[in-house]
Amino acid sequence: MGDKVLCREGYGSSRVKKNYVSTDDGRLVVVDQSPTGTTFSHFFRSVFLPQGYPESVSQDYLEYQIWDTIQAFASSITGTLAAQAVLKGVGVGDENATVLAATMTWILKDGTGMLGRIVFAWLRGSSLDCNSKRWRLFADILNDLAICIEILAPNFPGIFTPLVCTAGVCKSVVGVAGGATRAALTQHQARRNNMADVSAKDGSQETLVNLAALICNLALIPLVTGKQSLIWFLYIIFTCLHLYANYSAVKCVVMETMNQSRLNLIVKELLDCSHIPSIQHTNRLEPVVFRTRRKLEIILGCSVGKLCTSAKELQTLLMLYKGTPYLLGLNIKKGEICIALSDRATTSDQLQSCYQAEVINYVYENLYKNKTLHSSLAPVVKALENGDVHGALAASLIYTNLTIEAFCQGVVQQKWVLNPVLLNANEWRAKWDIDGVTDKKEY
C-alpha cells in the first residue's frame, strides 16, 4: 500500500513503458506497463527498423519499404529462374560439357560486366544523385531485361556466351545505378544523421525477404525444371509485379531537394497559377520513366565555347550579364539553353540561372498556343516573337532579378531545401571580371 512510483520511462514513441517503484522495505521494483504483445513488436522493430522509428526517418519510409520488399521478393524469384537457365547453358547436367568451356564462359561474363560497370559510372555517375528516382526505376527495368536474356540464352547455344555477357553488362549497370540511387534514397530517408543505421536495417529487411524467397524457390524449382512454358509464365507474372512495385516505390518518395525536373514543374505552376506547388504535389508529377520534356534543353556548367563562336558575341554576353556570375546563351535552332558559370558562382547562382532558363523555356513553349501570359513576361514574349535572342535574354534577366528573391522565399515556405541543389551542373568554370571587363591574365 505504501509503494511509490519514483520514475516512469518509455522507449521512443513505442508502447513499451516501465515504472520504477519504491517499496516499503526500500527495494526498487521495475513494473512493466507495456500492453500485451508489445515485447514481440518491440523486438521486431529493433531488429528490422531504424532506431527511433518513425521519428528518425522520412514520412515516406514505410510505404517505400513495403513496395521495396515486394519488388525484392519478385526479383529474387525471377533471378533464381535465370540462374537455373545459365547453369543449364554452361553445361550443368550435360555429359558432353567441359569444365574449361564453362569456366571461360563465366570469366568472360564477369569480365564484360566489370567493364560495363566502369563505363556506366564514367558516363552517368554525376546524374545519379540528381535523378535518383528515375535511375532507380531504370536499374530495375534493366535487371528484368538481363534476366530475360539469361532465360533465353540456353535456347541459342551458338551465341550463348555473347548473350550471357550482354546480360552481365546489364547487371553490372544495375549494380552501379541501383547501389548509387539506393544510397541517395537512404540519405533522404535518414533524418537523424543515421544513414548507416537506415542502410543497415534496409539490408536486414532485404535479407529476410531473400530468405523467404529462398524457401519459395526450394519448392518452386523442382516443379518448373524442364517446363519452359511454366518458367516463362512465372517470369511474366513476377516481372509485372516487380515493375509495378518499383514504380510505386519511386513514386511514393517525396524529395525536398531541387533538381531540374522539379524546378521545371515549380516554375510552370508558378507562371500558370501564380503560386508555388507543395513538395508532395511536385513529386507526384515528377516523371520517373522518361526525362523532363522541354522544347529547350538546359545545359548547366557548359564551356563558354557552346554559348558563342565570336569575340563580338562573347563581349555582348559579358556586357549583358554585367554583375552576374553566369552567362546564359539561347540557341533556338539547336533547342538549347547553355549556361556558363563563373568560378565565383554559388549554388544560389546556379539556381538563379536555371530559373531564368526555365522562364525562357516556358515562354517559348507557350508562344504560339494562344495562351495569355502574365504581363510581366510581355518583353520576353515580344523578343522571342521577333527572333531577337539577345532581347529575350535581356528581358528574361530583368524579370529574373525582379522575382528571384520572392521565388526563393516562396519555395522555402513550402519546405523545399535549397542547399544543396541537384541541378546536374557540369564542371566547366570560367574567369571574367564580374563587373564586365574581361580578365586578361586568366580567362
Side-chain angles (χ1 to χ4, degrees):
M1 295 297 292
D3 292 354
K4 180 180 179 182
V5 178
L6 300 178
C7 178
R8 294 181 174 87
E9 70 175 357
Y11 190 87
S13 61
S14 71
R15 296 188 297 168
V16 176
K17 309 291 180 185
K18 292 181 181 179
N19 289 348
Y20 292 84
V21 179
S22 173
T23 62
D24 290 337
D25 56 3
R27 291 182 298 111
L28 182 65
V29 177
V30 181
V31 180
D32 192 345
Q33 297 290 318
S34 306
T36 304
T38 303
T39 303
F40 175 77
S41 64
H42 176 65
F43 172 77
F44 183 85
R45 286 163 63 109
S46 299
V47 173
F48 294 106
L49 295 174
Q51 182 176 332
Y53 171 87
E55 290 83 3
S56 62
V57 293
S58 59
Q59 292 183 353
D60 54 27
Y61 178 83
L62 181 60
E63 185 178 359
Y64 174 82
Q65 292 303 127
I66 290 172
W67 287 116
D68 191 51
T69 297
I70 295 172
Q71 70 85 20
F73 180 83
S75 180
S76 184
I77 297 293
T78 55
T80 300
L81 298 176
Q84 183 193 41
V86 171
L87 290 173
K88 178 183 176 182
V90 296
V92 174
D94 186 354
E95 296 180 354
N96 298 320
T98 64
V99 174
L100 177 62
T103 303
M104 291 299 292
T105 299
W106 214 267
I107 290 174
L108 288 172
K109 173 179 175 290
D110 289 345
T112 52
M114 293 174 189
L115 290 174
R117 186 178 296 113
I118 294 171
V119 171
F120 178 77
W122 166 51
L123 293 175
R124 288 290 180 264
S126 61
S127 66
L128 296 177
D129 278 308
C130 304
N131 300 293
S132 55
K133 290 195 280 187
R134 181 156 56 85
W135 282 113
R136 175 72 177 168
L137 185 59
F138 168 82
D140 288 296
I141 293 172
L142 193 61
N143 182 64
D144 290 330
L145 176 62
I147 290 173
C148 179
I149 294 173
E150 287 179 338
I151 295 176
L152 277 173
N155 299 314
F156 302 93
I159 55 170
F160 175 79
T161 299
L163 285 176
V164 294
C165 287
T166 301
V169 171
C170 292
K171 285 195 170 182
S172 67
V173 171
V174 171
V176 175
T181 53
R182 181 180 289 272
L185 292 172
T186 301
Q187 186 178 34
H188 155 72
Q189 292 172 338
R191 294 306 165 97
R192 288 186 181 173
N193 294 320
N194 57 338
M195 182 174 172
D197 184 31
V198 174
S199 179
K201 296 302 169 57
D202 181 66
S204 296
Q205 295 167 22
E206 188 167 350
T207 301
L208 179 64
V209 173
N210 289 335
L211 180 61
L214 176 64
I215 296 172
C216 291
N217 287 327
L218 289 175
L220 193 63
I221 290 301
L223 299 176
V224 303
T225 301
K227 301 174 182 177
Q228 283 296 308
S229 58
L230 184 56
I231 289 175
W232 281 109
F233 174 76
L234 291 173
Y235 169 77
I236 292 171
I237 293 296
F238 281 103
T239 297
C240 290
L241 177 62
H242 180 246
L243 292 176
Y244 179 76
N246 272 292
Y247 179 80
S248 300
V250 296
K251 286 297 288 185
C252 78
V253 174
V254 180
M255 306 285 279
E256 298 92 353
T257 49
M258 193 80 70
N259 66 3
Q260 288 210 18
S261 295
R262 294 190 278 274
L263 178 60
N264 173 263
L265 292 168
I266 292 170
V267 173
K268 280 185 176 179
E269 184 83 9
L270 176 63
L271 297 179
D272 277 337
C273 307
S274 300
H275 75 87
I276 292 173
S278 66
I279 295 174
Q280 292 78 8
H281 178 72
T282 305
N283 275 266
R284 191 162 55 248
L285 296 179
E286 181 185 5
V288 295
V289 179
F290 302 104
R291 298 176 60 184
T292 299
R293 295 181 180 179
R294 297 188 190 89
K295 282 196 173 183
L296 300 173
E297 182 183 2
I298 298 173
I299 305 172
L300 179 63
C302 67
S303 171
V304 173
K306 284 187 70 68
L307 276 74
C308 49
T309 56
S310 67
K312 181 180 179 181
E313 192 174 358
L314 177 55
Q315 289 172 348
T316 302
L317 287 177
L318 288 171
M319 291 304 296
L320 175 62
Y321 289 96
K322 184 178 180 180
T324 305
Y326 64 85
L327 304 175
L328 188 149
L330 171 61
N331 190 324
I332 294 178
K333 289 184 179 179
K334 290 185 177 180
E336 291 179 345
I337 298 176
C338 298
I339 304 169
L341 297 171
S342 164
D343 62 339
R344 307 181 199 177
T346 63
T347 54
S348 297
D349 298 320
Q350 291 184 26
L351 178 61
Q352 178 175 332
S353 66
C354 287
Y355 172 75
Q356 181 184 349
E358 291 290 355
V359 169
I360 296 173
N361 177 73
Y362 174 83
V363 174
Y364 185 72
E365 286 183 341
N366 292 283
L367 201 58
Y368 303 108
K369 290 184 177 180
N370 295 321
K371 184 175 182 178
T372 303
L373 303 182
H374 196 276
S375 58
S376 58
L377 294 171
V380 185
V381 174
K382 184 177 179 180
L384 287 176
E385 285 178 338
N386 295 331
D388 182 6
V389 171
H390 290 108
L393 294 178
S396 63
L397 181 60
I398 292 172
Y399 177 85
T400 298
N401 289 333
L402 290 173
T403 59
I404 186 63
E405 186 175 348
F407 172 77
C408 291
Q409 290 176 354
V411 294
V412 170
Q413 287 175 359
Q414 289 287 356
K415 309 300 183 184
W416 288 98
V417 176
L418 297 184
N419 190 18
V421 291
L422 304 176
L423 298 173
N424 198 23
N426 207 339
E427 292 302 309
W428 289 104
R429 296 294 182 272
K431 288 180 180 290
W432 70 85
D433 189 337
I434 298 301
D435 293 330
V437 181
T438 304
D439 188 339
K440 295 181 180 180
K441 293 181 180 179
E442 293 184 83
Y443 175 72

